[in-house]
Amino acid sequence: MFNQKYTSTQTQWCPGCGNFSILAAIVDVMNEMNIPKNEVLFMGGIGQAAKLNQFIPGNGFSGLHGRILPAALGVHAANPELKIIINTGDGDSYGEGGNHLIHTIRRNPDIAHFVHNNQIYGLTTGQPSPTTDVTDGIDGAMNSSIPLSPLNLALACGATFVARGFTGDREQLKEIMKAAIDHKGYALVDILQPCVTFNKVNTFKWYKDRVKPVDHSHNVQDKEAAIKLAGTWGEEIPTGILYQVERPVYTQRRPLLSRGVIPSREEITSKEIEDRLKLFI
Amino acid sequence: MFNQKYTSTQTQWCPGCGNFSILAAIVDVMNEMNIPKNEVLFMGGIGQAAKLNQFIPGNGFSGLHGRILPAALGVHAANPELKIIINTGDGDSYGEGGNHLIHTIRRNPDIAHFVHNNQIYGLTTGQPSPTTDVTDGIDGAMNSSIPLSPLNLALACGATFVARGFTGDREQLKEIMKAAIDHKGYALVDILQPCVTFNKVNTFKWYKDRVKPVDHSHNVQDKEAAIKLAGTWGEEIPTGILYQVERPVYTQRRPLLSRGVIPSREEITSKEIEDRLKLFI
Amino acid sequence: MYNILIGGAAGDGIETTAAVLKKTLKHLGYNVFSIRDFMSRVRGGHNFNKIRFGSEPVHSHARELDGLIAINEESFHLHKDDLKENGFIICDPSLLIDHGNLIKLDFKSLAKEAGNPRAGGSVIIGAVLSLYGLDLKKAEESFRDYFPEPILQANLNALLYGYRAVEKKYHADKGQDLSNHIRINGAEAMSTGALAGNMRFYSAYPMSPATTILNYFNGVKEEANIVVEQAEDEIAAVNQAIGAFSAGARAMTGTSGGGFSLMVEAIGLAGIAEIPLVIANVQRPGPATGLPTRTEQSDLRFVIHAAQGEFPKMVISPQNHRELYHQSWRAFDIAEKYQIPVILLSDQFLADSSSVIPIQDMLDHKDYLVKKLEQTDTIEVDEDGVYKRYQYTDTGISPLKYYGNKDYLIRLDSDEHTEYGVITESADVRNQMVRKRARKLELLKEELIEPIFVGDENPEILIVGFGSTYESIKGAIETLNARGNGKYAFLSFGDVYPLPTKKLLKYSNRATRVVSIEQNYNGQLAGIIREETLIDCRPAFLKYDGRQMDSEEIIAALETLEKGVK
Amino acid sequence: MYNILIGGAAGDGIETTAAVLKKTLKHLGYNVFSIRDFMSRVRGGHNFNKIRFGSEPVHSHARELDGLIAINEESFHLHKDDLKENGFIICDPSLLIDHGNLIKLDFKSLAKEAGNPRAGGSVIIGAVLSLYGLDLKKAEESFRDYFPEPILQANLNALLYGYRAVEKKYHADKGQDLSNHIRINGAEAMSTGALAGNMRFYSAYPMSPATTILNYFNGVKEEANIVVEQAEDEIAAVNQAIGAFSAGARAMTGTSGGGFSLMVEAIGLAGIAEIPLVIANVQRPGPATGLPTRTEQSDLRFVIHAAQGEFPKMVISPQNHRELYHQSWRAFDIAEKYQIPVILLSDQFLADSSSVIPIQDMLDHKDYLVKKLEQTDTIEVDEDGVYKRYQYTDTGISPLKYYGNKDYLIRLDSDEHTEYGVITESADVRNQMVRKRARKLELLKEELIEPIFVGDENPEILIVGFGSTYESIKGAIETLNARGNGKYAFLSFGDVYPLPTKKLLKYSNRATRVVSIEQNYNGQLAGIIREETLIDCRPAFLKYDGRQMDSEEIIAALETLEKGVK
Ligand SMILES: Cc1ncc(C[n+]2csc(CCOP(=O)(O)OP(=O)(O)O)c2C)c(N)n1
Ligand SMILES: Cc1ncc(C[n+]2csc(CCOP(=O)(O)OP(=O)(O)O)c2C)c(N)n1
Ligand code: SF4
Ligand code: SF4
Ligand SMILES: [Mg+2]
Ligand SMILES: [Mg+2]
C-alpha cells in the first residue's frame, strides 16, 4: 500500500501568496479527517488557485477553465462514493463558469467547493475579476461593473451551505472546510485570498483589518440574516459559515442514484439488450 | 417615409398562448410611447418567446439561443442612441444564457429585457426549464432541481430594475413595460406566461389565482422587501415593479461613451494612423 | 410498395395518426419506412409524414405517392403533383379541393359519432385499411395495444366507421410474419445501441433534432439503470459526460450543430486527458440556427477538425437504422479502448425516420466488435500511489483505470503532462506525448470498417457517399444498373474519419471516374478523399435545401452527369 | 549580428531588463529582433528573452548565442551549449558556474550602490554596452525616456557602474539612423493595425497569448476613441463584437484556441446573418489547456472549418510583424465588404516577439487595399420600412446598412431567412441563400494575396509554409541556395483560406517536389494543398514542441530530406 498521508509538493505560486495557506489547511484537514486517499478526488479548473490539485499527490483532475463543476457532477453521478473537493479561482467560477455555479447549486450535489477569491485574474497577470472592487466612477479598473457578491448569488439560487473564509485565519478556515466536506450537499466556501503580485488593493492587511468572524449567536438557518452577512462588504467583512440547511441532495433526486446504485459498476447483459429490442416489435 | 405605427404580423404561436398578450402589450406600449421605429431595435435569442421580434415589422435581431444579452451590449456600445428591447424565454435567459444575465446586470446597460417565463422549454416541446416548479421528490419532472428564482438572482447581482408581470393583467404589464423602457439601466421584467401546450401545471388559472399586484405602499428602493417579494412563490405571487434604483449606467462607466461619442460614427484619419505608429519609434 | 403522405398543420394530430398507422401496418405484416417533414413551430405551418409500406423490406423514401391524406388544403396543393395517376386523396368534405381521385371523408363527424372528437385519425386509418382491403381484426389488435383504456373504444369505433366509409380499391400483397422484426426510428436505434454499449450516463441540453434521444433515455432511465441529466447548457452537458466517463461510467452527450459548437473545447479536454467520450451530433442545416427541424450533412469537416490543437478522434456516420444501432454500440468500445472522443454523426432524416428490421440483424453484432487490446498493462505506481496514467507504450494506448480503486491514484490533466499526469513544459515530454496520442490513431486505422459496397464490380462510375444517403443512393444505382446492365458502383462510408481507403483505392482504380453525392453544398467528403488519397473526386450531386434526397433525384442527377460526360 | 540571451525565473525582472536593453539598442541605431520564452506561471520556473541585434535588418531568431546573461544557474546550464566559442556569460559571482568565458558581475551590490536594489538590470545593460563599446551617452537618453523620474537617477548610476565594470571585448558595426523606424511586437502590430482599420470595439476574455492585445487596447482606449470590453467569457466576447459590428462599429475579439472554441457557434451567426466580424486567434499548443505560453500552428484546419453548416469566411495567417499590421487592417475591409467573419491566425511566437521596421513600410498600405465593390445598391424597402438586407445579387453581396437610419429598418437573423430577413422554411429560398452566400467567397478569391515568394525561380524543391515560420524558412533557404547555387524556392502563405493557388500551380509545375514546413504535427497546410490542388505535398519538417523553429533546424531538416531523396 502507498502512503496514505496527505502531503503537498512544491508549488508554482509567488512567495507570500495566500494560496499557500489554503493548501496547508487542506492538507491538514484531510489528514485530520482521515479519509482514504483513493476515496478523494481533488478537482480544479484553470488558474493559480485551480492548480492546487497539482500540488497534492493524490487523485486529481485539472479540467477546463470555468468548467469543473459540470465535470465534477459527472464524476459524482458515475460514482457518488468519491469525495470531491474542488479548488478554483474567482475568475474561473464566477466569470467563465457563472452559469454552472447557478445550476450546480440548484442540483445540490454532495461536493465541497473552495473558491480562492483574490478578486483578480492571477494566472493571466492581473485583469479585474467579477469580484474586483471598483468604484462607481469611470473605468476604475479595466472594466468597472457592479462587483459580484458570490455568496449572495449562491443564496439567491438556493445554496445549502455558504461560507466565507480568510487565508489569514487558518483555524477558522479549517473548521469551515471540515464542515463543508461534511455537509450533505453542495458547499460553497469563498476564501479571501491575498494575491501579493497583482492585487494591490485587497492586501493581506486590507482583509485582516476588516474580517470579523460571525457571532456564535448567528443562526445559520436564518436566510435573511445570511443574506445580510453575505452582502456586508466594507469596513467589516463577516467570515464563517453564514448559512447551512439540509435539503435533498442530488443523489436523492435521481432515480437510479437514489436506489444506491453506483453507475460506474453496472454492466449490461445480453438478455437486457435483447429485451430492450423486443419492446420495438 | 414609411409607416411609423407599430403593428404585428401573423405569429407562429399556439392559439391561447400567453405570448399573444405580450406581443399586443408591446405594440400598444410602443405606439403609446411614440418612439420612432428606426430608433428601436427588438432583439431575441431562440425560442417561442424570442421569436417575438419576427412578428413586429421593424428593426430586429434574432441571435443565438442564450446569447442575446452580449449581442445587445455590443449594439448598445456601438450606438447607445438605439433603444433596445429584448424578448427571450426562461430557458434562453436563465438556462443557456445564465452567465450573461449575471454579468449584464453588473454592467447596467440601458436595455429593457422581457422574459416570457412559461416555466418550460416551449420550442423544443416541453422539457423543464430552470424555473419549472418541481417538488423535492425524486425526479418529478425530467430533472428535478431547486427551481430558480430569477428575480432573486437579479437582485443578488445588483440589478437596478426588477419586476414581475403576468399576461393576464395587460394594463399592469403595459405600465411595467413602460417603466422598464424608461428606466436608465438594465430592466428585467419576468412575465408569467401560460404555455397552453406544454405546461399543464402553471396554467392561466393557476397564475390568475395567485398573482397579486404589490401594494402601492411598497417602497421600490427597499431591497430587503424586494428580496422577500421576489422570493414569494406559492399561494400568492406578487406582481409589479419590485425594485428600482438609480446607479451609473454602462455608458457612464466607459470612457469613450461617457463623453457622448457614438463609436459607430467615428472614422480614423491618416494622421491618427501615423501618430499612433510614431509612438513606437 | 405503397407510399402514403399525411399532411397538415402542427397541432393537427398527424403525428399520432401516422404513428398508429405505422404500428398497424407493421402488425398487419408490412415493412414500413416513414419520414417526418416538419417546421420549427409547435402549431400551424405545414408538416407531413410519408409512410411507405409493402411486403418487401423497405428502407428509403420516395417521391411518388399512392395516397395523399390532406388534413388541410395546403397539404393538397403542395403534394398533389406527386400523386400517381390512380392514387387516392382523402380529405374532409369541407375542404375546397377539386381532383378526380378525391375521397371525401367526414372524419370529424365520424369521430364524434364514435365517441371522441379527437379520434379523427382512427377514422382515416380505417379508410386507408379498407382501400387496400386489409384485415380489420388484426388492425384492432394493434389499436388495443396502442390506446389506453379510456379512449380505446372510441378509437375502435372510429376505425370501424372509417373502414366502412370507403370501398376496397387497391390490391395489397399479403403481409408477412414480422413478429421477429422491430420497427424503430433513428433516435431509438441510436439510444438503444448506446444502451447495448453499456452507456450509464447521458447528459444533454434539448436541441432539435437531437431532443428525441434525450426524451428516449429519460423515458427508460429507471428500467435501463442509467442517469439522465438535462444540463444547463451544452458546455455543461459535455463536461458532465467527460466527468462521468473519467469515473468509469460510459457516458454520452447528444446535440445538433449549435450545441456541438459549444462542446468543441471539451472535446480537446477529452483528447489530451485521454478520457473516452461519445458525442452524437444529429445534423440539421446551418449555419447557426439555420433550419432547425430539417436535414443536412454539412458538419462533416467541422466535427473532424473540432477543437484547437491535434489529437486523435473518430467520426462515424451511420447509414441507416441498423447501422445506427451497431455503430453507437461500437462507439463506446472504440472510445474506451482508444481513450478518445468518438463522434456519431447522424442527421434529422435518420433520427426522425423509422424502418422495420429483423431483430436478429440487431442482435448480431459480430461485425462491429472491437479488437481486444493485446497489451499487457504493467501499471507503474509512484510512492504516493499515483500511477502512470499516460504511460508511453508502443500502441500509444496507456493503461486506463478509474478513480476509487485502492491500488492506485489517478491524475488527469487538460495541460500537457508527464506520464504521471503532472503539468510539464518539457519539450521532450511534449514530443513524446503528441506522438503517443497520434499512435492511437494509427492503430485505430487498422480496425476501421470499410465502406459498404453496392453495384458493379467493374464500374465506370464510382459513387461515394456517407451516412444517411446510403439507402437512396443504393436504390438509385440499383435501378440504373438494372436499366443499363451495370456501370455504377457505390461506396457508402460509415467510418469516415479516419477514412478507410482500401476499397476506395481498389474500386477507384477500376472506375473511370469517382464522384460524390452529398447532402451539403461544398462536397465535403469529396474534399476529404482528395486530401487523403489524391483521387480527383468531385461532387456529382449536392443537395442542401433541408430535404433528404430520394432515389429519383439521384437518378436524374446521374443521368445529367452522363450526358455532360458524353 | 549579435545574439544575446537573458534567462532567469519568472519574477527575476528579466522582462524589464530585456525591454530596456532592446529600447536602448534601437536608440543606438541597431535593428533588434527579440523573442520571449516563458512558462505558464507568475513566479519561478525558467524564462528567457533572446535579443538579436545588428546594423542590418533582422527579422528572425537564431540558436547560437554571442552572449548569455544567466540570472540563475539553471539558465546557464540550459543554454551554455548554444554559446559560441568566444561568447560571453554574465552572471552573479554567487552562482556556482564554471566556464572559460565567465564575466562575474556583482550586479546586485552595484545596484544597491547605485541607489536602488532593483536596478540590477541596468547594471547588466551597462556591462553589455561596454562589452561592445557602445555609446554610453546615447544609452542614457534612452534610459531618460524609459524610467520615470523617481527611479531614473539610480538606474543611470547603475548603467554607469555596469559600463565601468567590464572592458570592451567585441567590435560592433556602427549603428544606423533608425529614427524613422519603429520597434513593435506582434500584439502591438496587430492592435495598431486594427486601429488603422478603424476598429471601434474590442471585446475579449483574458487568455494567453492573446491577453497582450486586450492590455494594449485597454491602455490606449481613451486616446484611440474605442470601447474595450472585458467579457464574462469568450461566448460573450464574440457575441458582443457581432452586436457592435451589426450596429456599425467595426469590432474585433481576440483569444487563443480554448476561447476560440467557445466562439465557434457565433461565427456561424456572423456567417448566416452576414454580420462582419474580425477574430484574432493567437495560437498556442493544444489540445485544451496544452502549453499556455508557447507557440504552435495547429489550429489551421480547426478555424477554417469552425462552426456547423457552410458559409464563407476568410483565414489570414500573417507572416511577420509588418504583415500583422497590414493584414489586421485589411481584415476589417474584407469583413465589411464581404460581410463575413475574418480570422486572423497569429501565434505566441509572433505576438510576443518584436522587430524593428521602417515606419514607411507600415504606412504604405497600398498592397493591402480591398477593391471597392462595383455594385449599385438599389435598396428595396417594404411598406413597413424594412429593406432587403439579404437581397440576391450577382456578387452575392447584399447592400449593407446599419441600424438607426431613418430611411430603412433592418432585420438580422440566425435562422435561414428571406431577402427581408424574415424566418423561412422555403426550400427555394434556402437554395438561393446558400448560393448567394457562397458567391461571396468566389468573389473574394479574385482578390486574394498570393503567397510571398522567395528563392530560385526554377526550383528543384518548392517549400510551402504559412504564417509565422516565414522569416526562419526564408533565412534557411537563402542560406542553402547560397551554398548550392540555388535549388529551393519557398511560398509563404498569408491568405490561407480560401487558398490562393496561382503561384503554387506555377512553381509546383517547375519543381520536382513540393514539401511543407509547419509548426504542427499533422502537416495541415500540406493537406489543404492536396485537397485544393491535388498537388502531392507532404510535410518535410514538422515541429510541435511549443518552441518556434529557427533557420538552423530547417536547414538540418532539408539536408536530411535531400539525403533521403538521393
Ligand atoms: C476558455 C479559457 N479562457 C481563458 C483562459 C485563460 N485563463 C487561464 S487562468 C484564467 C483566470 C485566472 O483567474 P482566476 O480564476 O481568478 O484564478 P487565479 O489565477 O486568480 O487563482 C484565465 C482567464 C483559459 N485557460 N481558458
Ligand atoms: C445552442 C442551442 N442549444 C439549444 C437550442 C435549441 N432550443 C431552441 S429554443 C430552446 C428552448 C426554448 O425554451 P425557452 O427559452 O424557455 O423559450 P420558449 O420556447 O419556452 O418560449 C432550445 C433549447 C438552440 N437553438 N441552440
Ligand atoms: S499571482 Fe497572485 S494568486 Fe498567483 S501565485 Fe502570485 S500571489 Fe498567488
Ligand atoms: S408551445 Fe407554449 S409557449 Fe410555445 S406557442 Fe405554444 S403555448 Fe406558446
Ligand atoms: Mg483569481
Ligand atoms: Mg420557456
Side-chain angles (χ1 to χ4, degrees), chain D residues 202-218:
Chain D
Y202 185 78
S203 49
Y205 186 80
M207 182 161 200
S208 308
T211 311
T212 41
I213 304 172
L214 175 61
N215 290 344
Y216 178 82
F217 284 134
N218 187 53

Side-chain angles (χ1 to χ4, degrees), chain B residues 2 38 53-54 58-60 62-63 67 70-71 74-75 99-100 107 250 254 259 264 266 268 276-277 280, chain D residues 182-183 188 195 198 200 216 225 229 232-233 239-240 243-244 247 403 406 409-414 423:
Chain B
F2 49 82
N38 53 293
N53 78 72
Q54 289 280 332
N59 284 319
S62 291
R67 314 299 173 188
V75 171
N99 205 31
H100 310 308
R107 291 186 185 97
Y250 178 75
R254 297 293 177 270
R259 300 200 317 259
S264 60
E266 294 291 286
I268 194 159
R276 175 143 312 279
L277 282 175
F280 293 90
Chain D
I182 60 169
R183 194 175 61 77
E188 292 160 344
L195 292 176
N198 201 34
R200 293 292 157 190
Y216 178 82
N225 288 337
E229 196 62 27
E232 57 271 27
D233 55 35
N239 279 282
Q240 286 172 6
Y403 295 122
K406 275 197 288 295
L409 304 176
I410 307 169
R411 298 173 88 164
L412 304 178
D413 210 315
S414 74
I423 291 186

